[in-house]
Amino acid sequence: METINQAATFTIGQVAKLKNVSPYTLRYYDKLRLFPKITRDKNGIRHFTQEDLQWFDIIKCLKETGMPLDQIKSFVDASYQGNETLASRIALLQKQTSKIQADITLK
C-alpha cells in the first residue's frame, strides 16, 4: 500500500463537510472509480488529496449539466491518459453542450 502523507490528505468525513455532500455519495463515486488516485491507509480509510477535491468539483459541475456518470467516468479516465485524448474530451463536452442547448430550446 502507498505511504500517505496525512497532512496533505482529507478523510471522507472531512471532504463531505468541505464539499457539502454525503459520505455515501463520495463512496459511490469512489466505487465507480471517478477518483482514480484515492489512496487508503492500512485500515482501509480513504485519503483524498487536493487533486481529488478539484476532481470532485469538476464531477459535480458535469453532473449538474445532466451528464451521466458513465460519461463523466470516460472524461476522467481520458484526462489521465494525457493530451492524446484531448479531442475526445472536447467532443464529449460539445455533445453535452448541445444537449443543454436543446433542453433550453424546448423550454
Side-chain angles (χ1 to χ4, degrees):
M1 231 176 244
E2 194 172 320
T3 304
I4 297 173
N5 177 354
Q6 298 288 348
T9 63
F10 304 87
T11 65
I12 202 164
Q14 291 169 322
V15 174
K17 286 179 185 173
L18 281 170
K19 297 298 181 177
N20 196 28
V21 65
S22 73
Y24 173 81
T25 298
L26 293 168
R27 286 186 196 97
Y28 182 65
Y29 286 1
D30 182 34
K31 181 180 176 182
L32 295 178
R33 305 271 306 137
L34 293 176
F35 303 111
K37 291 189 172 185
I38 285 183
T39 57
R40 291 179 185 246
D41 65 17
K42 63 183 177 184
N43 298 317
I45 296 173
R46 293 169 183 87
H47 289 272
F48 293 77
T49 64
Q50 197 65 41
E51 181 180 348
D52 297 320
L53 298 183
Q54 291 170 342
W55 269 113
F56 176 79
D57 291 339
I58 293 168
I59 292 163
K60 182 179 177 186
C61 180
L62 294 173
K63 183 116 174 64
E64 287 174 355
T65 71
M67 184 180 284
L69 289 174
D70 63 326
Q71 289 181 9
I72 295 172
K73 168 105 172 87
S74 295
F75 182 84
V76 171
D77 291 346
S79 295
Y80 279 108
Q81 293 173 16
N83 288 340
E84 62 271 5
T85 65
L86 191 56
S88 67
R89 287 182 276 154
I90 290 170
L92 184 63
L93 294 174
Q94 287 173 333
K95 180 179 174 184
Q96 190 62 25
T97 300
S98 295
K99 286 181 183 178
I100 294 167
Q101 289 171 336
D103 287 346
I104 291 170
T105 303
L106 292 175
K107 291 183 180 183

